[in-house]
Structure formats: C-alpha cells, structure tokens
Amino acid sequence: MLPPLGVWLALGSLIQGCLCTCIPHTTPCSSLKVTPPEGASLMNATATERYNVTYDGPTYNGVAGSVNICDVEVFLTHGDARDAVRITIYLPLEGWNGRWQGTGGGGFAAGQFDFELVPAVTSGYSAGATDAGVGLDGNTDVWYNSTQLVKNFVYLSLHEMTVIGKDLSEKFYGKKPEYSYWFGCSTGGRQGMSEAQRYPEDYDGIFAGAPAINWDRFVLADYWPVAAQKQEGDPVPLCKFNAITNASVKACDLLDGATDGLISNPLKCKFDAKTLVDVEVQCDGNATTTITENDAVVWSNIRNGLEDSEGNSLWYGLEPGTDYKNLAELPGFLISRQWIADFLLDSPGLDLSNIKQDELVDLFHQSVSEFGDLWATDNPDLSAFSERGGKILTWHGWADDLIPPVGTIDYWQRVVDLAGGEKETDEFYRVFMAPGLGHCGGGPGPQMPVDNLAPLVDWVEKGKAPETILFSGNGQSRNICKFPKELEYIGSGDVSDAASWKCV
C-alpha cells in the first residue's frame, strides 16, 4: 500500500526499442490543446517544454534517466462537485517508441508522478499520472465523504488520464499510440485491474504488481495483527515475532530441496509456533526474553488471518517468512486505521487501540457490505478485456507484509473458474509468486526485474507468453514460475543461481 521508495534495484539498460524508427513530434508543445473527457470540464491546462528532467532515488518501473519532455499539466472538474483533478502527461521530445504508459499510485495516493513518469519516458513511452483530486499526502480526512472524490480515486480519474494522454500523444506525434500499457504496484496494481474490468478498451497490456484488489477485505483485516495482540493481552515485542518467523523459515526451508533461506511455497509450511515456547531470544542490546505460549498463539493468529468467534476464516494472514513489523507494531497500519476511522466509522482520528476480535469482525462485514461493490476491484470476469486481445501480468511476493499474497491467488482461482480452466486463463492472465519478496520489493529474496514491462511487451506484441520471469537481488536469482508451478532445487549447483532451480 505504501509507495515503495526504499526499494533499491540493480540498474541496467532497459530502454525498449521503438516499434520502428523513433517517432518525432509534429506539433509544437505550446500549441497542444486538451479535450476534456465526457462528463468532465477543463479548468486549466498548460504545455511546457522541459529539459534534463530527472528523478533522484530508486524506482521500480525502469531506470530514471535525464529526459526532455513536453510537460502537459491538466486540471479537470466534474459538474458542481468542485473537485480539481490534476493530470500530468509527459511527452518525450525525442525518441518516442510509439507506446503509451499509464502509471499508478500507492496507498491513498492515486499517482506517484516523477517516480514512475521519468523512468517511463526514459524507456521511450509517453506517460501519464493523476492525483484524482485527492492530493498526494494520503490524508483521507478531507475527502472520504465526498462521493465525487471517492469515485475519482477508485476508478474515474485513471480512465480520464488515459483518454487525455492517448489523445495528446496523437496530437503531438501525428499518430495514435500503437500499443498502450499500464504499470502499477499495490494501489497501482488495483488501478490496473480496475481498468481491465471497467474500461477494457483502454490498455493492451496491464502490469499489476501485488495488486490491492479485495480492498474492502484486506485493508480491514490488516488491522487484525494489532487487535490479535489486544485480544490476548499485552503487545508482543517485535524481537519475539522475528524469532518465531525466523524459526518458521528454518523449519520449512528444505521443502523446496535446498537450504537457501527462503520458503518457495509457504502454503506447504506446517510450522507450529508453539515449538518455540520457553525458548530464550535476544532483544534490545544483550537483554534476553522467553517466548511464551501467548506469544506463539498471537503469531499463529496473525498467520491464520482474521476469523470470527466460531473460527470461520474471513481473510488471509501473513505467510511464514514474512516480517510482522509493519502490521503488528502499534498503533497499527496507517491505511487500515484511516479506513476504519474515516470510511467505516465517520470519525477521523478516532483512537482504535481497544478494538478486539468481535468488533473487528463486525467492521469487516460492514466494509464488505457498504464498500465492496465500489472498492473491491475483484470482478473475475475479464472476458471483455481478453476478447480484444488484452494481457495481464501479475507478480506477488510470498513475503508481502502489507497485502496477503493468497488474496491474489484467491482472485486468480476465481478467474480460472469463470474462464473455464488454467489453459484458457493463461491466454490473457498470468500470475507469478516470488519467494522472499516483500511488498512491491524488499524482503530477503530475489528482487523484481528492473524492467517489469519487458515480458508484457513481448507477450502483447510478439505473442511470447512468459513461463518464467527472472528476479535477482540479495545475492540470488530465480526464474519465478508461472503459478501454480513452484520452484524446486535440481539437486546440484549453486543454490543462489537461477540455473539450479526448476519449475514443478
């Protein structure tokens, strides 16, 4: 959910080749005119040439170079809603590859702007981002009760940004983009799935990393790690959680045939946290403490996910090998607290520290019933998108500490059931589950590719559907398998090398 600004990626050359000769622009930047989409009114628009635009810091949709662009800044409003939606379109002054790229946001921010726009333009795309009129600071207190702003954030502004961006690309270069791609992770992944479900004509290919679909369920359930501790008594020190998690990795590491510090398929891990009761662990400094049965129960309850009082599962938990810090540390995950206090209880800033299981279960059912239809973005019917030849690639880290990865598998299975089987689904939607990968990067495992769009472009434009995707980092590499296949050590060779593993 949070923009993964701390994720460092190995750099490399990724500027994708143009479709033919790189296409020059035919219209002066300052002469561009913005046509507002149906239902929106234009408040203001400027088009300015900018040179040597850079982004300093890590990115995850490619290398951010120094680019020369036509920067089109657009502000839209809708009827009498008095919203002001910012849309930014970057058009490369040279080297356009004939493709358009829409980019997504993170958390309660609808877009991340230069963080994703500069790498996109470096790769030759014309590209766009939007703030949906809600700003970029993630403060929902000021817009959670606005029907228009919520609609903007959930789906409308993404579509309007896409319509404007593709139209400006055509006006600037004298031809339509030949292919259109979406890139996003977390909220950005959810936005990409929204485009496929609501506006199937907008994109030819969608990359949806760790997608925040199932929003109405997982965001509420992400508060369970805090409530689980309250339910059982006192908060559990993070050092105890870490000790139990490390033990889970040690117990299940060999399930894939090699000791590499990773669990290739956590669903097979039958680790019992109670085996660590009475074990001493080191915490701050040289202090030691003893894991209690209560500590083991809390860790297991978080792993199992939110359940009602009768033991019925409501949503998934964190997998073995996942860091509990972001969800279990008090006062809890900010986005979950905002969702509960603002959207569910209409009480911004409300102290939630005393919420226990029964109340959280009631809030879960409220979240699904009141917000599921609009926010969930989990419609498994992708037929309109697939019938026009659209392709979706998703990867999700098994060690994602913010969005339970099994939620993505749950959605994939529902797509498979509706489409008629795995073979039929493989024609348009493929999922890759990465061992040890955290939320949109990070974690102890191999990291996502520098160029996440490359395999998607090959699939859309060349018909080369990926069976594996190479992840590398932390001194390891793996050819991540198309789900439901998983990695298995071949029995010889360096366990850190992708060549020593196969998909089974």
Side-chain angles (χ1 to χ4, degrees), residues 188-213:
R190 184 199 64 78
Q191 292 167 324
M193 298 307 295
S194 174
E195 281 290 287
Q197 293 165 25
R198 290 185 168 98
Y199 302 102
E201 297 294 327
D202 278 359
Y203 289 93
D204 301 297
I206 291 171
F207 170 79
I213 53 176

Side-chain angles (χ1 to χ4, degrees), residues 329-351:
E329 192 169 42
L330 301 178
F333 186 37
L334 175 59
I335 290 173
S336 295
R337 290 187 282 124
Q338 290 175 296
W339 183 253
I340 294 170
D342 291 1
F343 291 88
L344 298 182
L345 300 179
D346 193 20
S347 300
L350 182 68
D351 181 6

Side-chain angles (χ1 to χ4, degrees), residues 201-244:
E201 297 294 327
D202 278 359
Y203 289 93
D204 301 297
I206 291 171
F207 170 79
I213 53 176
N214 312 300
W215 181 285
D216 54 319
R217 286 164 284 180
F218 89 81
V219 171
L220 188 286
D222 271 0
Y223 195 73
W224 171 235
V226 169
Q229 295 175 76
K230 189 71 177 180
Q231 187 76 19
E232 298 299 327
D234 296 328
V236 177
L238 285 173
C239 60
K240 291 186 176 183
F241 280 143
N242 292 340
I244 299 173

Side-chain angles (χ1 to χ4, degrees), residues 240 243-248 271-281 290-292 296:
K240 291 186 176 183
I244 299 173
T245 295
N246 290 339
S248 74
F271 170 73
D272 182 357
K274 290 185 178 180
T275 59
L276 267 69
V277 172
D278 294 332
V279 171
E280 287 191 347
V281 298
T290 302
I291 294 175
T292 67

Side-chain angles (χ1 to χ4, degrees), residues 234-414:
D234 296 328
V236 177
L238 285 173
C239 60
K240 291 186 176 183
F241 280 143
N242 292 340
I244 299 173
T245 295
N246 290 339
S248 74
V249 174
K250 186 176 181 179
C252 296
D253 193 353
L254 269 172
L255 291 175
D256 56 18
T259 302
D260 60 342
L262 303 174
I263 306 174
S264 288
N265 184 354
L267 298 181
K268 292 182 176 180
C269 181
K270 306 303 180 183
F271 170 73
D272 182 357
K274 290 185 178 180
T275 59
L276 267 69
V277 172
D278 294 332
V279 171
E280 287 191 347
V281 298
Q282 186 171 329
C283 287
D284 298 330
N286 294 319
T288 59
T289 185
T290 302
I291 294 175
T292 67
E293 184 170 351
N294 182 77
D295 300 329
V297 167
V298 172
W299 187 92
S300 298
N301 287 345
I302 294 172
R303 172 190 177 177
N304 294 336
L306 180 61
E307 298 177 346
D308 63 21
S309 59
E310 298 179 354
N312 298 307
S313 176
L314 299 180
W315 200 246
Y316 308 102
L318 301 179
E319 295 304 313
T322 302
D323 189 347
Y324 277 20
K325 177 180 173 63
N326 281 332
L327 293 190
E329 192 169 42
L330 301 178
F333 186 37
L334 175 59
I335 290 173
S336 295
R337 290 187 282 124
Q338 290 175 296
W339 183 253
I340 294 170
D342 291 1
F343 291 88
L344 298 182
L345 300 179
D346 193 20
S347 300
L350 182 68
D351 181 6
L352 306 176
S353 60
N354 289 319
I355 288 180
K356 293 185 179 181
Q357 182 177 17
D358 287 347
E359 186 176 359
L360 196 63
V361 168
D362 289 341
L363 289 168
F364 180 90
H365 291 304
Q366 178 190 348
S367 182
V368 173
S369 63
E370 292 185 11
F371 296 94
D373 288 346
L374 179 62
W375 284 81
T377 321
D378 62 346
N379 182 355
D381 185 358
L382 299 172
S383 57
F385 183 73
S386 65
E387 286 168 3
R388 61 171 297 271
K391 313 294 185 186
I392 302 171
L393 279 186
T394 286
W395 51 245
H396 205 140
W398 275 120
D400 194 318
D401 57 339
L402 298 180
I403 301 179
V406 183
T408 290
I409 295 174
D410 179 286
Y411 176 72
W412 172 85
Q413 186 62 60
R414 291 190 291 120

Side-chain angles (χ1 to χ4, degrees), residues 150-233:
V150 168
K151 181 179 178 181
N152 290 348
F153 178 81
V154 174
Y155 68 91
L156 182 60
S157 291
L158 321 172
H159 172 65
E160 292 180 337
M161 175 266 288
T162 300
V163 171
I164 288 175
K166 291 163 76 170
D167 181 59
L168 286 173
S169 297
E170 181 178 5
K171 290 174 178 176
F172 192 55
Y173 300 109
K175 63 173 294 184
K176 295 180 179 179
E178 191 158 348
Y179 295 99
S180 295
Y181 295 92
W182 177 270
F183 178 88
C185 190
S186 192
T187 283
R190 184 199 64 78
Q191 292 167 324
M193 298 307 295
S194 174
E195 281 290 287
Q197 293 165 25
R198 290 185 168 98
Y199 302 102
E201 297 294 327
D202 278 359
Y203 289 93
D204 301 297
I206 291 171
F207 170 79
I213 53 176
N214 312 300
W215 181 285
D216 54 319
R217 286 164 284 180
F218 89 81
V219 171
L220 188 286
D222 271 0
Y223 195 73
W224 171 235
V226 169
Q229 295 175 76
K230 189 71 177 180
Q231 187 76 19
E232 298 299 327

